[in-house]
Every structure is written in structure tokens, then in C-alpha cells.
Amino acid sequence: MHYENPLHLAEEAAALDLLSDQRVALGISRGSPEPALRGWEAFGYEDHTEPKAANMAREKFDRFLRAIRGEELAPADPQQFGPGKPLRIEPHSPGLERRIWWGAGSASTAEWAAQQGVNLMSSTLLTEATGAAFGDLQAEQIARYRQAWSAAGHEWTPRVSVSRSIFPITTDLDDLYFGRRGTGQGDQIGIIDDTRSTFGRTYAGEPDKLIEELQSDAAIQAADTLMLTIPSQLGVDYNLHLLESFAENVAPALGWVPAGAH
């Protein structure tokens, strides 16, 4: 978000939502560590209060949400509209505000997302390292998000997503790419943004083994949505194979039912 003009982004998001028959689900975050040093400054944005531009990103997100919700943020030209007429961003897409997701890397940020009234998107990285398993840390994050949502008194039920790298091994090529990753690998601890962080493990193995492991992942069980991270460098056809393999061999055991199957 620290690279974006919030009103321009609101216009683009609303236009895309209307063109796509209101199917946009937009994930937004402060931004992950990057090769550029304070790269947002090259785009003309500055944050004099916080070296990672977190404050600026949250201020921009607030303005973005206000625009998405139809708040009138700009004074109209009085020669065209008369005195005292404010304008909202156009186009406006009613309902889009309930399909905005904030990417949170910590429990405190998840609570902040709940207070803002947006869905929660939690990835394979948490800027926390207590020694607890990644799934347990993330499940705590989800619980705190839902508690904060309830306390905020919002009038609708949000969704929570978690991301995982999951590779069912059903072919020799799968085994060549990912077979060794499923042996003895666990969560990893590292430093990111000068913060001790936990990185989630990669799940790779035969479907029955994956189902057992994923059913014991506390965050997957707590979430509404499981997002798969896929190796885009391996091409469209192979990634389609991975997604189909997961949908056919793993997802039904986790409670997933294909659209239209009810």
C-alpha cells in the first residue's frame, strides 16, 4: 500500500469489480521486504515517522477504505454543482468493501484489520517467533482477529484465509520436483525486517500423508479459506496439474466441496 495512490486504487478496484460482475477479492498489505531501499520514495511518497512506511501505508489504507465505502472525499466545483457539494470516487461498486482483505504478519496487525472491518489474509510468514509451531501461532492470530471483530461490533461475518505451499506427489515429475521437500522439513526461524520471524513449512507428499498433516494444522482448521502458493516459474500447465491434484485428492478430506455440487 505504501506505493499506491489510495484514491486511484479505489477507482481501479471499483471499475474492475463492476466489469467482473462483482467478483473482485482484493488483498492489500503494507508490503514485504524488497530489493529497493525505501523504494516508495522513488514513487514520490514519504513517511517521516516510521522507517518501514507502516504508518503511511495504514493512513493510505484508511483513505482507500473510505473511498471504497462511498464517502464523499472531494469538494465539487461550485460552478458546476453549486456550493458545498462533495463528490465520491467514481465508479462506485456497492459491496466491494466486504471483499477487501488485509495481509497481516502479526497478531496485533490482525487485530487492527478487524477494527478496520476487513477480511484477514495470513500468509506463510509471521513476524513472530515464540517457539510455537507456525500453525499454532497463526491460529492464535486468527482467534485474536475474531475476538477483535466481535468487540468492534461489525454487522457482517468476515472471512479468514491462510496460505500454504502444498504439493501432492502423484506423478514421477512431482516426485522429481518436490519429493525431497517432504522429508524432515519443519518451520523455519529467520530475520526479516530486523524482526525474528517464523516461516511456515512446505507440505509435500502423497495425498494420504498430506491430508493427515493438514488436518493437524491448527490454522488451516480455524480458517475459512486455504490459499495455495504455487511455483509460477514452472508454467501454466504444471500449475494447473498441481491445483487439480490438490482439488481431487486432498481438498475433499478438508471439507471442500466444488461450486455447484450442493
Side-chain angles (χ1 to χ4, degrees):
M1 195 69 204
H2 48 18
Y3 280 89
E4 294 290 343
N5 178 308
L7 299 187
H8 184 216
L9 181 62
E11 283 187 333
E12 290 188 318
L16 179 60
D17 197 44
L18 293 171
L19 289 170
S20 64
D21 197 22
Q22 296 188 308
R23 290 185 291 119
V24 165
L26 182 61
I28 298 177
S29 72
R30 171 178 65 86
S32 61
E34 55 192 293
L37 179 62
R38 302 178 67 88
W40 52 89
E41 292 181 349
F43 283 70
Y45 303 116
E46 295 183 354
D47 187 342
H48 299 292
T49 64
E50 211 279 336
K52 300 172 186 176
N55 291 334
M56 178 180 64
R58 291 189 180 193
E59 290 171 0
K60 286 186 174 187
F61 187 61
D62 174 72
R63 191 163 176 80
F64 166 81
L65 277 182
R66 289 163 60 198
I68 286 292
R69 289 167 175 160
E71 187 172 333
E72 296 168 329
L73 297 175
D77 181 353
Q79 292 185 349
Q80 298 183 55
F81 297 94
K85 172 66 175 176
L87 298 176
R88 71 182 185 187
I89 287 295
E90 295 292 351
H92 173 67
S93 183
L96 176 57
E97 66 179 272
R98 297 192 179 189
R99 285 174 279 114
I100 304 298
W101 304 65
W102 182 264
S106 68
S108 60
T109 306
E111 290 175 330
W112 176 84
Q115 293 162 2
Q116 307 313 304
V118 293
N119 303 289
L120 176 66
M121 180 173 57
S122 190
S123 71
T124 54
L125 163 69
L126 292 175
T127 54
E128 299 171 325
T130 66
F134 180 84
D136 293 339
L137 281 174
Q138 204 169 45
E140 179 186 357
Q141 180 193 56
I142 293 170
R144 288 175 58 175
Y145 167 82
R146 287 179 172 147
Q147 289 169 2
W149 183 277
S150 179
H154 302 301
E155 297 179 353
W156 57 284
T157 302
R159 295 189 66 81
V160 173
S161 76
V162 295
S163 298
R164 293 291 184 272
S165 299
I166 305 172
F167 305 108
I169 295 177
T170 61
T171 68
D172 289 340
L173 185 58
D174 298 334
D175 191 45
L176 176 65
Y177 282 143
F178 304 111
R180 295 181 181 179
R181 300 191 185 196
T183 304
Q185 189 194 62
D187 301 333
Q188 300 179 51
I189 305 296
I191 303 297
I192 189 167
D193 266 357
D194 300 322
T195 303
R196 199 162 178 264
S197 305
T198 305
F199 301 80
R201 56 169 289 193
T202 294
Y203 288 93
E206 295 181 355
D208 289 347
K209 175 174 176 282
L210 288 181
I211 290 169
E212 181 179 348
E213 292 176 337
L214 296 172
Q215 285 177 334
S216 65
D217 186 313
I220 290 178
Q221 297 305 308
D224 304 296
T225 300
L226 174 61
M227 300 179 67
L228 301 184
T229 60
I230 54 178
S232 56
Q233 68 271 25
L234 295 180
V236 173
D237 291 340
Y238 186 72
N239 279 291
L240 179 59
H241 157 72
L242 286 176
L243 295 174
E244 289 178 337
S245 182
F246 181 82
E248 293 170 3
N249 301 301
V250 179
L254 303 178
W256 177 74
V257 178
H262 295 285

